[in-house]
Amino acid sequence: MSISTVAAADRLARLSTATGPAREALILAAFEDETASVREHAIRLATRYVEPQILGGLVADGVNAARRNGALAALERQGPYAVPYLAELLRSPDAELVMFALQILARVGDPKAAAGMLPLLRHGDPNVAQSAVEALGRLRSADAVPALLELLRGNLWLQLAAVTALGEIGDPAAAAPLLALVPDSFVAEQAVRSLQRLAAPESLDPLLSLLIRVHERPLRDAILEAVGVVLDLHPDPAAAAARFALESERDRGPEGVAAFLGELLRTFEAEAECLRELHGSAAAGAMVEREGLAQAAVAVILSGRVRSLYPLVLRRAGDSEAPWIEAQWHRHAQLGRPEIAALLSHRDPLVRRGILTAAVFESEDLANILARLEDPDTQVRAAACRALGRLGDGRAAPALIRQIREGTPEERAEAAAALGRLPIEALQELCLCLDPRAGDDTVVAALEAVRVAQASAFEADVLALARAPSAVIRLAALRAAAALPSTRAELALFRALGDRDECIQVEVLELLVERGGDRAGTTLTALLSAADSLRFRVIRALGRLRVAEAAPRLESLYREAALHERVEILRALAAIAPPGVADVLRTRLRSPEPEIRHVAASGLAEVAGPEDVPTLVAMAGDEDWAMRNEAARGLGRLGLPESRSTLLTLVRDVEPVVARTARGALAGLADGSGSAAA
Amino acid sequence: MTADEGECKLLSDVIQERFGLSFAGVRRDILLSRLRPRLTALRLPTLLDYYHFLRCHPDREAEFERLSCQLTNNETYFFREPHHFAIIAQHVVAALGDTLRTRPLRVLSAGCSSGEEPYSLAIALQDAGLELRGIRWEIDACDLNRDRIARAREGVYEGGSLRACDEEAVRRHFESQNGGRYRLRERYRKSVRFFEANLATPGGMIGSPPYDVVLCRNLLIYFDDAGFDRTIRLFARALAPGGWLFLGHSESLIDRSDEFVPTWLEGAMIYRKRLAEAAA
């Protein structure tokens, strides 16, 4: 073993086991350790065991950067516990200390700290003033807005920080002053970003006007993105969009807005295509960054009636990566029937698929959509099935049933979903597809249509198919049966709990839970007698259904059950919450098995009453982080002020998960006291 | 699948304890995406359900097997980073000199997945004409996952595993099978010995040391600090003094181990175990 690795392991062990006065010195010295994992552990321990005043002393030490960084990280992690001390530091004569205090307070995010920051906006040291601006922005302090607006006329750095902070705070009073900074100022782009965050309706007109006038990228991109957000949140953008449509018509040059938007969409499409080729399905994540701009471009094209670009928009409608196009189309696009018909027979199949996916059709469009079921492109045919489902006109049923029998797998699935949306009386011919001789794929698709339609008229067929030799058909039939309200359908599900295929048993259990009802509870409780591989799932199902009558049986089963079943029994009991459940859970907190203790603690966190606070406080001192985490969760759920001191200890927990849970709990205390100062 | 922070930590702790693999911090999303198929297969709705399954269910051992495959399911292929094989065939063999007249070159491929790496080395050594010079070799290869070891022994691959091989190499080293699959020729298959091993198991030895070379590429990135250090110590014990350790290009021992000396060879960073007297 090497010297360095032995020493690092040793130092970690020494840190973890140190107690008493030596511990603090050891922790602080470890801030300077050469090994990152030792430094990280020291920060965790400092968060828990070193008081903010001591850590503040290290922050003030301008010479030792390693100790300073460790102390800053620990103070930030102490969060609410350190807030009173950090608020005091704001009055320190040491400008650097004040600056660090501002930065940590901003990251801790306690809004009560804002009052002490306001005077610092006029601090003589510009670094302190800038930190105060940034902190107030991060805390979203509305009280800071007047002073921040004044800073828009001051020092450039403070101006930039103030512009950003105003965007973070989100007060619409800032919209006009921010618009005044666009396009002719150094902070124009940031001002547009802040206007985007404000999303003030009154900024729509001026931003649309800027979109036409400003040709320089990236400012034009920023304006477009802002317009997209404002349009999205605007209660009635029609008037502003109509003015934009008129104004943009006059600007048809190569730098005009239509050319700009068209180029953007073409670029996005090409980029998406490249990414798909390079990364396959993982490309979706890579596109997210630019998606905001694409959405904005589409919103402007549709609301501003830039009709020449509609085909370009529709090419991506129906893409799983751009589901938002449909919503944009519904909100902004207004087309007459001849225009829709023209797009339905567009030469580009992607456009045909797009209009079938995005448009809202009426009965008069039926013939045009049915014609698309004969389209040479399978994606267009599948989209036509979807459109027929949305239209809901029963006259489409024969064509969709034909698609179920003869279509590709994608068309079959879409046709089944569409049939499910048609009036039930239109589905009579579907019985031809419910004959096992029609083939598994056809029968399964027809059963899916019955499920979506909840068509009781086919109940006899469904129940017969629930006993079919093919597991695929049985499963599809049982899914359809679960959607039917009758007792016979429910009995078929109960019978299927004994299906020879275990996958079907498990699925049926899920179906019964989703379906609910008293009989399901009784039947599942009866199944507890069978000690088979399904029983732990049955126990879980009883918990999810909150079957009160099952509680005594679950309690009596506990002693004889295997570990995985006992875990589920405790979870189920906590969900059912019968009288006395807290006693049961408290007893299990002393179990030698950690899994049982965890589940008991988790259950207690859910059901605890005020009388359980001492138990939760004791759990907060457990060696096992999962127990402390449940203690924080339980105390947070109760929200009682007497939990504050325990939660203030837990917010400094060495395990960050526990600290975060405790911080959330502390923020929700009944007396509103989020910090140690309260 | 819900992704409660506490549930994620419970699961990542179990995985770390069992396999030494760390999915803390930014790796959480990787963990979630790799667990999703297992939750779907077991029809368990939440991470907590899966955690309880791993901790308590009678079938947990079989599930750990499947999980290991899922967690370290890193795509590999024949002749990935082929310069390492050239360095072994030329520099390592030359450095060992006359000792290879009396014993074989001994190599361990740790985390060998379905065998592409050790078989690539076997092909490279064969192609380098070592046999004609009277030099023999023994390649041991281990992986955490039983199914992958079985696939490695079978030596049958999809076309994707051969994407770095040209037509001539495919023809020479593989027999074409039905369904676009290829079987590695017998002479390469018999030159590698596969076995199951969990590198995270504390203490002990791995394979049949001492080895002249250990290859462990693109696996240590998934280990936490303690697991990384423990594995490096395992390799140090498995290597003969002066032996060579090959890591992936994003893995480094700089400032992490005094037992190895970094060495630049043919543009690659290789780590040599110190000679016994230097380490003492």
Side-chain angles (χ1 to χ4, degrees):
Chain A
M1 194 183 289
S2 77
I3 295 165
S4 68
T5 50
V6 170
D10 259 1
R11 293 196 298 277
L12 266 177
R14 254 189 292 149
L15 266 178
S16 300
T17 52
T19 52
R23 175 165 61 192
E24 186 169 293
L26 207 59
I27 292 170
L28 300 183
F31 282 172
E32 298 175 70
D33 199 280
E34 64 187 32
T35 306
S37 56
V38 178
R39 290 199 300 275
E40 166 59 23
H41 195 59
I43 291 168
R44 286 187 182 199
L45 292 173
T47 304
R48 175 68 186 84
Y49 298 114
V50 182
E51 286 302 309
Q53 289 78 357
I54 305 293
L55 294 169
L58 299 185
V59 174
D61 180 353
V63 179
N64 192 326
R67 286 200 178 212
R68 165 179 283 181
N69 291 340
L72 285 169
L75 277 168
E76 185 181 337
R77 290 191 200 182
Q78 286 184 337
Y81 186 78
V83 164
Y85 171 71
L86 292 166
E88 259 179 51
L89 279 191
L90 295 181
R91 292 191 290 274
S92 164
D94 181 340
E96 209 166 32
L97 207 51
V98 176
M99 193 180 73
F100 284 129
L102 280 164
Q103 289 168 356
I104 301 172
L105 280 167
R107 286 198 287 267
V108 171
D110 183 348
K112 289 194 290 297
M117 296 176 179
L118 285 170
L120 299 173
L121 288 173
R122 293 182 186 79
H123 198 280
D125 184 325
N127 289 327
V128 173
Q130 187 179 337
S131 295
V133 173
E134 289 165 354
L136 286 161
R138 200 150 169 177
L139 295 178
R140 306 193 65 184
S141 166
D143 292 343
V145 170
L148 291 172
L149 288 174
E150 277 178 36
L151 290 176
L152 292 181
R153 295 187 291 274
N155 159 306
L156 186 61
W157 285 114
L158 288 180
Q159 196 183 353
L160 184 64
V163 165
T164 308
L166 285 165
E168 289 173 318
I169 294 168
D171 188 332
L178 288 171
L179 276 165
L181 297 169
V182 189
D184 300 320
S185 81
F186 286 110
V187 294
E189 195 178 325
Q190 189 52 47
V192 172
R193 302 269 177 223
S194 288
L195 283 162
Q196 178 180 326
R197 296 189 72 152
L198 296 183
E202 60 271 28
S203 66
L204 182 57
D205 246 330
L207 282 170
L208 280 168
S209 178
L210 283 164
L211 186 63
I212 292 169
R213 281 190 290 128
V214 174
H215 293 169
E216 297 83 8
R217 313 272 294 263
L219 182 57
R220 199 178 206 184
D221 285 359
I223 293 170
L224 175 60
E225 220 167 325
V227 167
V229 172
V230 180
L231 260 174
D232 194 27
L233 299 174
H234 201 292
D236 182 16
R243 282 190 289 277
F244 168 76
L246 276 176
E247 214 179 323
S248 62
E249 269 295 298
R250 290 195 289 269
D251 183 22
R252 293 180 169 218
E255 291 193 318
V257 76
F260 163 65
L261 295 170
E263 188 200 324
L264 261 183
L265 286 193
R266 282 184 205 96
T267 309
F268 287 139
E269 196 179 314
E271 281 177 2
E273 189 57 35
C274 281
L275 283 168
R276 262 194 297 272
E277 275 184 27
L278 281 171
H279 305 296
S281 57
M287 285 299 292
V288 169
E289 267 179 43
R290 305 261 286 163
E291 207 65 355
L293 207 51
Q295 289 190 30
V298 168
V300 172
I301 288 167
L302 297 178
S303 60
R305 312 275 179 269
V306 189
R307 284 186 159 74
S308 60
L309 297 179
Y310 283 8
L312 211 47
V313 171
L314 287 170
R315 278 176 59 85
R316 285 194 70 198
D319 261 12
S320 58
E321 293 154 20
W324 46 267
I325 289 185
E326 287 168 59
Q328 298 266 30
W329 190 276
H330 291 167
R331 181 160 188 222
H332 298 297
Q334 287 178 2
L335 290 182
R337 185 141 299 108
E339 286 169 296
I340 289 180
L343 288 166
L344 280 171
S345 53
H346 196 277
R347 65 182 181 282
D348 183 344
L350 288 178
V351 176
R352 298 199 296 275
R353 182 194 68 168
I355 190 68
L356 283 163
T357 302
V360 178
F361 294 106
E362 292 173 18
S363 289
E364 290 83 349
D365 299 308
L366 180 63
N368 280 334
I369 307 172
L370 285 172
R372 293 275 63 88
L373 289 178
E374 308 300 326
D375 198 283
D377 188 294
T378 178
Q379 286 192 44
V380 176
R381 295 197 299 273
C385 292
R386 269 197 305 278
L388 289 168
R390 291 201 308 279
L391 187 59
D393 190 320
R395 288 174 294 170
L400 288 168
I401 289 170
R402 195 172 61 246
Q403 223 61 25
I404 273 190
R405 297 167 74 103
E406 297 167 9
T408 62
E410 188 189 1
E411 290 165 42
R412 260 197 191 112
E414 295 292 359
L419 279 164
R421 298 175 71 166
L422 301 192
I424 288 174
E425 57 274 16
L427 303 182
Q428 287 160 356
E429 279 183 43
L430 198 59
C431 61
L432 299 173
C433 302
L434 291 169
D435 182 336
R437 286 169 297 184
D440 281 11
D441 292 344
T442 299
V443 176
V444 167
L447 284 166
E448 174 62 8
V450 172
R451 186 191 71 78
V452 178
Q454 301 179 9
S456 295
F458 299 103
E459 186 180 273
D461 299 290
V462 169
L463 297 183
L465 290 169
R467 293 190 296 273
S470 158
V472 181
I473 290 183
R474 285 205 307 281
L475 188 55
L478 290 163
R479 284 175 182 154
L484 304 180
S486 76
T487 308
R488 289 178 63 206
E490 193 169 44
L491 286 174
L493 291 171
F494 292 152
R495 262 198 309 274
L497 286 169
D499 195 284
R500 57 189 174 275
D501 186 326
E502 193 176 331
C503 291
I504 291 184
Q505 293 176 12
V506 174
E507 171 100 15
V508 168
L509 205 50
E510 284 296 312
L511 292 169
L512 282 169
V513 171
E514 282 164 25
R515 188 184 161 100
D518 292 343
R519 274 194 302 267
T522 309
T523 307
L524 293 179
T525 306
L527 282 179
L528 290 175
S529 312
D532 57 13
S533 61
L534 194 66
R535 188 161 74 176
F536 88 103
R537 294 183 189 271
V538 172
I539 298 167
R540 183 174 330 123
L542 287 165
R544 286 169 64 194
L545 286 168
R546 294 190 163 80
V547 182
E549 71 189 66
R553 181 75 186 94
L554 288 170
E555 283 186 49
S556 65
L557 183 64
Y558 187 85
R559 282 179 200 285
E560 65 184 75
L563 177 60
H564 68 301
E565 293 172 329
R566 279 185 280 139
V567 162
E568 294 302 338
I569 288 173
L570 290 182
R571 293 175 78 191
L573 286 173
I576 297 168
V581 69
D583 293 336
V584 173
L585 296 170
R586 268 195 301 270
T587 308
R588 301 301 164 203
L589 287 176
R590 294 192 293 275
S591 166
E593 293 149 318
E595 294 78 21
I596 295 294
R597 285 202 305 277
H598 288 173
V599 181
S602 171
L604 197 61
E606 288 295 326
V607 303
E611 69 281 4
D612 294 305
V613 168
T615 308
L616 293 172
V617 168
M619 269 165 55
D622 200 287
E623 281 184 7
D624 183 340
W625 71 266
M627 300 295 283
R628 299 198 299 277
N629 198 43
E630 294 303 342
R633 208 163 63 80
L635 291 171
R637 194 182 63 78
L638 286 173
L640 299 171
E642 59 263 38
S643 308
R644 189 157 56 87
S645 66
T646 305
L647 288 171
L648 277 171
T649 303
L650 289 174
V651 293
R652 295 178 288 142
D653 199 276
V654 289
E655 176 46 57
V657 172
V658 179
R660 279 190 282 274
T661 305
R663 196 181 282 199
L666 200 57
L669 283 191
D671 63 353
S673 59
S675 74
Chain B
M1 181 166 62
T2 55
D4 173 85
E5 199 183 8
E7 294 177 14
C8 279
K9 180 164 168 55
L10 283 169
L11 259 175
S12 56
D13 282 359
V14 171
I15 288 164
Q16 193 161 336
E17 178 188 310
R18 178 80 177 210
F19 305 118
L21 304 174
S22 170
F23 288 93
V26 293
R27 290 186 186 161
R28 199 176 95 161
D29 288 344
I30 300 174
L31 175 66
L32 294 180
S33 69
R34 293 190 178 185
L35 292 181
R36 200 165 288 126
R38 293 308 313 144
L39 268 76
T40 305
L42 293 168
R43 291 167 191 259
L44 295 173
T46 68
L47 288 178
L48 193 61
D49 290 313
Y50 189 57
Y51 164 75
H52 288 309
F53 194 98
L54 285 177
R55 296 288 298 201
C56 313
H57 197 275
D59 294 339
R60 61 184 176 276
E61 286 304 320
E63 181 53 27
F64 270 122
E65 272 288 323
R66 286 185 281 267
L67 177 61
S68 71
C69 193
Q70 202 72 40
L71 291 174
T72 56
N73 187 19
N74 300 308
E75 191 200 32
T76 185
Y77 50 91
F78 278 86
F79 293 102
R80 189 177 184 189
E81 299 184 73
H83 56 289
H84 283 167
F85 307 129
I87 290 169
I88 294 169
Q90 294 162 20
H91 293 273
V92 172
V93 167
L96 289 169
D98 287 346
T99 55
L100 294 184
R101 289 185 185 283
T102 55
R103 66 162 180 87
L105 169 72
R106 305 205 68 248
V107 181
L108 171 69
S109 166
C112 67
S113 188
S114 38
E116 287 88 338
E117 176 182 89
Y119 284 142
S120 297
L121 177 61
I123 293 170
L125 296 177
Q126 187 101 34
D127 285 357
L130 298 189
E131 259 180 339
L132 298 174
R133 288 153 55 193
I135 296 173
R136 294 169 296 123
W137 58 85
E138 287 175 4
I139 303 173
D140 288 352
C142 64
D143 196 85
L144 181 64
N145 186 263
R146 186 176 302 163
D147 292 343
R148 281 203 297 255
I149 288 292
R151 283 210 305 278
R153 286 191 182 121
E154 196 185 359
V156 178
Y157 297 93
E158 304 284 340
S161 287
L162 278 57
R163 61 179 175 271
C165 302
D166 58 27
E167 275 181 35
E168 169 63 12
V170 172
R171 194 184 56 73
R172 279 176 50 213
H173 307 314
F174 297 88
E175 295 157 6
S176 184
Q177 293 196 316
N178 290 338
R181 286 148 63 91
Y182 301 86
R183 181 155 211 215
L184 189 69
R185 291 189 186 279
E186 169 73 11
R187 64 172 178 273
Y188 304 117
R189 278 189 281 126
K190 72 180 183 191
S191 67
V192 180
R193 188 182 70 110
F194 291 98
F195 62 100
E196 264 180 81
N198 182 352
L199 299 179
T201 305
M205 275 293 174
I206 187 165
S208 310
Y211 292 101
D212 300 304
V213 173
V214 171
L215 288 156
C216 183
R217 304 182 304 169
N218 306 307
L219 179 65
L220 293 175
I221 44 172
Y222 293 104
F223 283 37
D224 63 350
D225 283 352
F228 187 105
D229 291 342
R230 197 168 51 235
T231 308
I232 293 301
R233 290 200 295 276
L234 182 70
F235 293 156
R237 286 197 296 277
L239 278 166
W244 283 263
L245 173 61
F246 289 74
L247 301 178
H249 65 272
S250 58
E251 296 157 334
S252 166
L253 291 189
I254 305 289
D255 292 334
R256 294 202 69 153
S257 173
D258 294 339
E259 288 172 289
F260 289 90
V261 181
T263 312
W264 274 102
L265 272 176
E266 304 279 333
M269 179 72 85
I270 317 295
Y271 300 91
R272 286 198 73 177
K273 184 180 168 182
R274 287 184 191 279
L275 295 168
E277 58 273 26

